[in-house]
Amino acid sequence: MHNDIWYLPNGTSTEAQLLKDANVNYLWSETEGSGSLKLNFESVFVKAKNADIWLNPSNYSSYATLKNANENHTMFNAFKYKNIYTISNTKGASGGVLYFELGMTRPDLALKDIIKICHPELLKNYTPYFFKPLP
């Protein structure tokens, strides 16, 4: 959430397609259009408060920074049960976020990460490359 606007991938975005390919129930999969969805907190909370998993909470690198940014984040089940995964903490040699450096050229790794996180019984010997548990 930035300036009271919550940005989410549109249902026709590349990110939403990865979730679909990973057989994930993306709550905004039915939306259409270009760019990101721009929603208020209340509409996101009503729909996502009971979600099991939260993928990529923007650039937040820990539960503490996520909580400090907005206390309302703590009301989501994924926060309560510590089931949030971030790309922000996986950095390359120059300090850049690897997902932004490689993600578009290695969608196979992003897809495997999402499958491993959302379907842990699959890909038993795989360790996620981009997405890591939020510390």
Side-chain angles (χ1 to χ4, degrees):
M1 202 164 46
H2 302 283
N3 298 326
D4 294 328
I5 303 293
W6 197 304
Y7 296 91
L8 290 164
N10 204 304
T12 56
S13 67
T14 302
E15 293 85 358
Q17 185 62 51
L18 280 172
L19 296 172
K20 182 179 179 181
D21 291 346
N23 198 27
V24 172
N25 178 25
Y26 177 48
L27 298 174
W28 285 270
S29 64
E30 300 301 318
T31 61
E32 294 183 7
S34 60
S36 298
L37 298 170
K38 297 173 185 143
L39 306 171
N40 62 31
F41 172 81
E42 292 79 11
S43 64
V44 173
F45 183 70
V46 165
K47 197 166 191 172
K49 66 183 172 186
N50 294 320
D52 296 324
I53 298 169
W54 183 348
L55 293 176
N56 196 27
S58 191
N59 60 348
Y60 299 107
S61 59
S62 70
Y63 283 95
T65 58
L66 190 57
K67 178 181 178 181
N68 290 339
N70 190 319
E71 187 76 25
N72 290 333
H73 291 143
T74 66
M75 296 189 303
F76 289 88
N77 278 355
F79 188 99
K80 291 176 190 175
Y81 298 114
K82 305 289 189 237
N83 212 9
I84 302 176
Y85 297 83
T86 183
I87 59 170
S88 295
N89 294 339
T90 307
K91 303 205 175 169
S94 64
V97 175
L98 276 181
Y99 184 82
F100 297 124
E101 294 177 7
L102 298 173
M104 289 286 108
T105 60
R106 294 301 310 267
D108 59 314
L109 294 176
L111 181 60
K112 283 181 180 178
D113 285 7
I114 295 167
I115 290 170
K116 178 66 175 182
I117 291 164
C118 298
H119 306 287
E121 72 281 4
L122 303 175
L123 304 176
K124 291 195 184 285
N125 296 321
Y126 179 74
T127 301
Y129 188 81
F130 299 117
F131 289 87
K132 306 291 185 198
L134 195 66

